[in-house]
Amino acid sequence: MTVQERLTDALYGAGWGAVKKLPEPVAVRLGQTIADLAWQRRGKGVLRLESNYARVRPDASPEQLRELSRAGMRSYLRYWMESFRLPAWSKERVRGGFDPIDVHHLTDALASGKGVVLALPHMGNWDLAGAWVTTKLDTPFTTVAERLKPETLYDRFVAYRQGLGMEVLPHSGGTAFGTLARRLRDGGLVCLVAERDLSANGVEVDFFGDRIRIPAGPSLLAQQTGALLLPVTLWYDDSPVMRGRVHPPIEVPASGTRAEKTSVMAQALADAFATGIADHPEDWHMLQRLWLADLDPARGPA
């Protein structure tokens, strides 16, 4: 393990160990202070976040984009402060910490026994939403986690999410898809963060006027298992409660090849994500390159 990896692991460990013990108002102020300092430094992550927001809000002035990125960093640090504190939250606090609309799409789908795939972008606090599902709805689910370096940091995240009631599978290794399919065929719930492809097998879709590549997994799982595919978007307001929306199910096309069906479903998923992100861009925490033209500048605009 390198010195940088040991430092990263120690910082996350300190966060989970110390922040969860702080009074909530103190943790909120701390998160906002760290966010503002990071925003003022104008590092690579902040500049990338601002560039991504410029895709979402192409008519925004440079000053408006700077303010949007400041709000975005505050939202991002709220996510981290909440995540560090979630293991210490009572069940009542978790149940009251998330208030989604149109949740009937999820409860009706679970009652059908067909299995459900929930697909989310990197918005709000997806860990809190997951804890709400396991606590408020008393429904366990399976998810996939990206392998992080150092390995001890990945182990921390797995233990943290397992402590919230999730079954966590590693993204790499090739066995995750089969396990997810089995859970769905048994009528279970699978939750996947799904607007950024981490493989070489993603599906190209239109997203805010240009092309990105998103994971094929949610659409393929719905096709192969008969599970219902539900997009979910999350956001914050000025209250301590996170908001969200469960979007209507994405239907499997009646005709076409598997690749054609996957393309249609992936585009519908991206469109649902775009609707939520356009309404609440500051709560979309995308500090990485996403558009293909940014990943490979030689491509130029689609």
Side-chain angles (χ1 to χ4, degrees):
M1 187 187 300
T2 67
V3 173
Q4 181 63 42
E5 288 174 343
R6 285 198 295 270
L7 177 60
T8 300
D9 183 58
L11 288 173
Y12 278 99
W16 267 303
V19 173
K20 68 181 179 182
K21 299 177 182 178
L22 295 174
E24 188 160 346
V26 175
V28 170
R29 288 195 298 271
L30 176 61
Q32 290 178 347
T33 300
I34 295 172
D36 289 347
L37 289 172
W39 177 77
Q40 290 168 3
R41 287 184 60 194
R42 307 289 290 164
K44 289 183 179 180
V46 172
L47 294 177
R48 175 50 51 190
L49 181 68
E50 207 164 283
S51 176
N52 289 337
Y53 285 160
R55 298 270 194 170
V56 178
R57 293 282 176 85
D59 297 330
S61 67
E63 292 77 15
Q64 289 171 329
L65 288 174
R66 280 177 63 88
E67 286 305 309
L68 186 57
S69 68
R70 182 181 185 182
M73 289 303 296
R74 285 192 166 197
S75 175
Y76 185 48
L77 263 295
R78 176 173 172 175
Y79 157 72
W80 279 112
M81 291 297 111
E82 285 181 350
S83 294
F84 287 144
R85 294 171 54 77
L86 260 177
W89 281 17
S90 67
K91 289 185 177 180
E92 290 72 23
R93 178 72 176 87
V94 172
R95 293 188 188 105
F98 180 41
D99 184 23
I101 60 174
D102 295 335
V103 74
H104 65 90
H105 290 306
L106 173 57
T107 54
D108 291 348
L110 290 171
S112 74
K114 294 180 179 179
V116 181
V117 181
L118 288 181
L120 307 86
H122 288 80
M123 292 187 77
N125 188 337
W126 42 96
D127 289 323
L128 172 55
W132 183 87
V133 168
T134 61
T135 305
K136 176 76 171 182
L137 301 185
D138 195 25
T139 302
F141 66 87
T142 304
T143 189
V144 175
E146 177 184 0
R147 280 204 175 276
L148 303 171
K149 290 185 179 181
E151 191 73 16
T152 52
L153 180 57
Y154 171 77
D155 292 340
R156 285 185 189 274
F157 271 96
V158 170
Y160 157 65
R161 287 176 172 140
Q162 287 176 337
L164 298 177
M166 312 175 193
E167 179 188 20
V168 183
L169 307 177
H171 181 270
S172 59
T175 61
F177 189 91
T179 303
L180 295 174
R182 286 194 293 274
R183 299 291 182 270
L184 292 169
R185 290 190 179 102
D186 290 339
L189 175 64
V190 165
C191 299
L192 301 171
V193 181
E195 94 281 30
R196 179 169 171 252
D197 181 49
L198 297 176
S199 72
N201 303 311
V203 183
E204 283 196 24
V205 294
D206 290 318
F207 197 63
F208 291 104
D210 213 335
R211 304 289 281 179
I212 66 169
R213 188 179 292 116
I214 71 171
S219 302
L220 288 173
L221 285 166
Q223 289 180 58
Q224 294 189 18
T225 68
L228 296 172
L229 174 57
L230 301 177
V232 177
T233 51
L234 309 171
W235 65 90
Y236 293 122
D237 57 18
D238 294 330
S239 77
V241 178
M242 184 175 70
R243 311 298 174 179
R245 179 188 176 195
V246 182
H247 296 253
I250 292 175
E251 301 291 340
V252 177
S255 61
T257 65
R258 184 174 70 171
E260 290 169 343
K261 291 178 179 180
T262 301
S263 179
V264 171
M265 296 175 71
Q267 185 61 65
L269 189 62
D271 291 343
F273 291 166
T275 298
I277 291 168
D279 288 342
H280 306 280
E282 68 278 6
D283 295 313
W284 184 43
H285 308 146
M286 183 52 62
L287 281 73
Q288 297 83 23
R289 297 177 187 269
L290 182 68
W291 278 268
L292 300 183
D294 294 332
L295 293 166
D296 180 10
R299 287 177 61 106

